[in-house]
Amino acid sequence: MKNRITDMPSEEFKKQGNEIIEWVDNYLSGIEKLRVVPDVQPGEIKKNLPNSMPDKGESFDRIFSDFQEKILPGITHWQHPNFMAYFNSTSTAPGIFGELISSALNANGMLWKSSPAISELERVTVNWFRDSVELHKDFWGIIYDTASISTMHAIANAKEKIKEYAIREKGLVGSGVPPLRLYTSEFAHSSVEKGALTLGLGLEGTRKIATNEKFQMIPAELEKAIQADINAGYKPFCVVATIGTTSVTSIDPVIEIAKICNKYDLWLHVDAAHAGVIAMVPGYEYILEGVDDADSIVINPHKWGFVPMDCSLFYTKQPELLKKAFSVVPEYLKTKEDSEVENLMDYGVQLGRRFRALKLWFVLRFYGKEGYIEIYKEHLRLGKLFEKIVSEDNRFELVAPVTLSTICFRGKPAGMSEEELNTFNEGMINSINDSGELFLSHTKLNGKYVLRLVISGIRTEEKHVRNAWQVIKNNYESTLK
Ligand code: PLP
């Protein structure tokens, strides 16, 4: 074959494209026949791949066949209905089409000028989503890749609010600012600490606040910590509350936390990455109660919103401070429209910007608010069903209150010490996940090793939840032997 120096010819593209769409359809409709977690050892996939790229271009048939033979066996199937680990991230056909078209356009939304529709559709979809969960209209939003990055930007936004120091001009070290302190609960996601680390606050810059028996931040402990830090010469500047903690989906008391933030003039960021979407459901509006008094919030459509990875919505009431934190405009990025438009590059670290709003727009329109509500109601019903099933079997116990559809439980064979119970439950989850029939993850609560089962995948139905219970019971018995 002669060296290839242009893109794939149109006829070949159509042939391969049709085959790939056919493959995707077969994959998704037959996914239940696959193991959820692959049966591979570390290094096994890499071992079967060459150490260097080919000298000559290869046929796409060959590349795709290698994908099926050598890569797919090492994939954990996040789209599988028996995937009930972490927090789900399931994609859907309109989202897949959005990704495909966005790659075909491959337009860069760094400036309004560099692709006007990207900036404008982002504004429209982000506002649609904000209104669908009834957030205050003062929230201005932007799409980042992940909640971790959204929260990092929230902390940068908060830093810029500290008026008496010239942090933008002089940085943290030169501005004369005392050591900054950020507060979050001991059950907050690790991304909060990572964001603080990235921005130069150091591990000591984050202070973890104790939680109550429902794993919610205790406001009195927060205020005590703030006062102690002020007396010790620190500069408290930000609190991150969580609506839907990763371990148990507990909800921090945002109303009370917001009052404390107001009293001490602190930025309040809310991490609602997983659970925020549930505010769409009539009767569950309380989930976002108090958030209108916060300064910023993150919600991820790529978690419980059926939009493919990655898509995280960050809302702030002070976008001008976010811009102050990040905007640097060299000559080559100036445009004649600058005074009339929003250039999204000004609101974060990245310059290049994918067209994520397209897939979001497709999925929001495909389901509509009523469609989302119906799906969420079913997930919440299945969560309650599983909670009931566990609570009625005296070989098991629930280890945390069930807020939405995250169930934390453990096997509790009679006569075992706490240490033996931890070993037993760790053995049980390993045997469940190794079976390939179900994928669960774990956490530790008050020293107890706990299994987490989450129902938020688009393909999970009641039969899968009942099957999960059967798999768990079988593995309980086999681990006991
Ligand atoms: N916040 C919470 C509450 C989470 O549970 C997670 C991940 O599960 C994150 C943030 C981080 O999400 P991402 O992977 O989008 O950075």
Side-chain angles (χ1 to χ4, degrees):
M1 194 169 84
K2 269 176 46 184
N3 278 343
R4 185 179 281 133
I5 52 167
T6 59
D7 197 0
M8 190 182 277
S10 164
E11 282 312 309
E12 190 185 343
F13 181 82
K14 274 189 282 192
K15 179 182 156 291
Q16 299 289 357
N18 285 328
E19 280 173 19
I20 285 171
I21 292 289
E22 184 89 21
W23 182 89
V24 171
D25 179 55
N26 287 335
Y27 168 70
L28 291 177
S29 49
I31 198 163
E32 285 192 49
K33 293 185 222 107
L34 303 174
R35 294 173 55 93
V36 196
V37 182
D39 186 14
V40 290
Q41 296 306 313
E44 199 176 318
I45 299 297
K46 210 167 119 208
K47 191 180 75 198
N48 290 326
L49 299 170
N51 284 331
S52 54
M53 69 182 276
D55 288 332
K56 300 250 177 248
E58 300 180 71
S59 77
F60 197 79
D61 273 335
R62 172 128 193 249
I63 301 167
F64 192 55
S65 119
D66 276 352
F67 158 73
Q68 294 181 67
E69 276 170 37
K70 297 179 179 168
I71 306 296
L72 200 59
I75 293 291
T76 297
H77 297 288
W78 282 68
Q79 301 276 48
H80 203 296
N82 298 340
F83 185 113
M84 301 181 194
Y86 313 121
F87 281 141
N88 291 92
S89 175
T90 46
S91 80
T92 49
I96 295 169
F97 293 152
E99 283 282 6
L100 180 66
I101 296 173
S102 150
S103 306
L105 299 173
N106 205 33
N108 185 332
M110 56 192 189
L111 304 165
W112 178 87
K113 182 85 170 184
S114 69
S115 200
I118 296 189
S119 295
E120 295 191 17
L121 189 62
E122 185 150 332
R123 178 67 34 246
V124 169
T125 49
V126 160
N127 285 352
W128 278 10
F129 197 91
R130 175 197 65 196
D131 297 345
S132 77
V133 291
E134 297 184 11
L135 283 177
H136 199 282
K137 290 212 185 292
D138 282 353
F139 279 111
W140 173 97
I142 186 164
I143 309 181
Y144 297 131
D145 54 359
T146 56
S148 306
I149 294 299
S150 291
T151 291
M152 193 273 286
H153 283 86
I155 299 169
N157 208 167
K159 222 156 41 70
E160 239 18 82
K161 193 187 163 193
I162 309 173
K163 291 192 201 73
E164 58 273 38
Y165 305 97
I167 294 182
R168 175 179 165 96
E169 288 71 27
K170 299 190 184 296
L172 276 183
V173 177
S175 62
V177 65
L180 295 181
R181 267 278 157 83
L182 173 150
Y183 306 83
T184 198
S185 101
E186 55 193 357
F187 276 88
H189 190 263
S190 51
S191 55
V192 179
E193 259 178 300
K194 269 198 183 186
L197 270 181
T198 309
L199 294 167
L201 268 61
L203 283 177
E204 287 179 12
T206 301
R207 187 157 173 180
K208 302 274 183 69
I209 305 300
T211 53
N212 63 19
E213 69 294 346
K214 292 181 178 164
F215 309 100
Q216 303 163 312
M217 193 196 290
I218 303 171
E221 293 292 324
L222 171 65
E223 185 157 14
K224 234 194 305 177
I226 293 169
Q227 281 171 346
D229 281 350
I230 293 172
N231 293 338
Y234 287 94
K235 172 73 185 162
F237 78 110
C238 180
V239 177
V240 180
T242 312
I243 289 184
T245 57
T246 314
S247 281
V248 294
T249 317
S250 55
I251 297 173
D252 286 338
V254 175
I255 295 178
E256 286 167 75
I257 293 171
K259 281 187 196 146
I260 296 171
C261 289
N262 193 30
K263 181 168 164 190
Y264 293 92
D265 195 22
L266 310 184
W267 187 275
L268 174 55
H269 174 62
V270 175
D271 175 358
H274 166 72
V277 293
I278 287 301
M280 279 190 209
V281 181
Y284 283 81
E285 298 86 351
Y286 74 89
I287 285 283
L288 291 183
E289 225 171 34
V291 171
D292 280 346
D293 293 326
D295 298 283
S296 60
I297 177 169
V298 54
I299 303 179
N300 272 9
H302 80 220
K303 289 197 191 300
W304 209 350
F306 320 120
V307 175
M309 284 274 286
D310 45 19
C311 187
S312 176
L313 306 184
F314 174 66
Y315 294 97
T316 171
K317 283 196 185 147
Q318 303 213 40
E320 70 288 355
L321 288 183
L322 187 63
K323 191 168 170 179
K324 191 170 165 225
F326 289 106
S327 182
V328 175
V329 187
E331 187 56 38
Y332 44 83
L333 292 173
K334 290 183 181 154
T335 69
K336 70 178 166 46
E337 292 85 4
D338 284 351
S339 61
E340 303 162 64
V341 299
E342 260 173 6
N343 290 318
L344 293 173
M345 69 159 188
D346 285 335
Y347 299 88
V349 179
Q350 67 183 98
L351 172 64
R353 163 164 286 273
R354 302 179 60 217
F355 193 4
R356 296 193 187 91
L358 186 66
K359 61 185 174 183
L360 180 61
W361 191 52
F362 282 3
V363 179
L364 293 180
R365 291 184 62 183
F366 184 76
Y367 288 103
K369 188 167 172 183
E370 289 178 11
Y372 271 106
I373 291 172
E374 234 173 89
I375 301 167
Y376 293 145
K377 277 185 171 167
E378 180 61 1
H379 288 169
L380 294 166
R381 183 186 77 80
L382 293 177
K384 285 208 162 54
L385 174 72
F386 191 78
E387 177 187 11
K388 183 163 177 287
I389 290 174
V390 175
S391 68
E392 286 171 352
D393 191 318
N394 59 16
R395 292 170 296 176
F396 293 83
E397 72 170 357
L398 292 164
V399 188
V402 179
T403 314
L404 299 173
S405 57
T406 304
I407 299 95
C408 292
F409 65 103
R410 65 173 181 169
K412 203 179 176 198
M416 282 192 188
S417 67
E418 280 301 320
E419 205 180 322
E420 286 165 339
L421 282 174
N422 283 355
T423 308
F424 174 79
N425 280 283
E426 190 172 350
M428 184 163 72
I429 198 172
N430 287 338
S431 101
I432 289 169
N433 291 342
D434 288 348
S435 77
E437 295 179 83
L438 175 66
F439 188 23
L440 300 182
S441 51
H442 79 280
T443 190
K444 264 201 175 160
L445 301 176
N446 301 322
K448 295 174 184 167
Y449 190 102
V450 169
L451 280 63
R452 278 170 85 259
L453 181 142
V454 178
I455 300 161
S456 57
I458 189 91
R459 294 171 183 81
T460 300
E461 299 169 22
E462 181 168 336
K463 64 180 180 189
H464 304 112
V465 174
R466 292 198 180 275
N467 176 61
W469 180 235
Q470 202 53 51
V471 173
I472 292 163
K473 282 192 301 183
N474 292 346
N475 282 279
Y476 173 100
E477 295 301 338
S478 60
T479 308
L480 208 50
K481 279 181 196 153

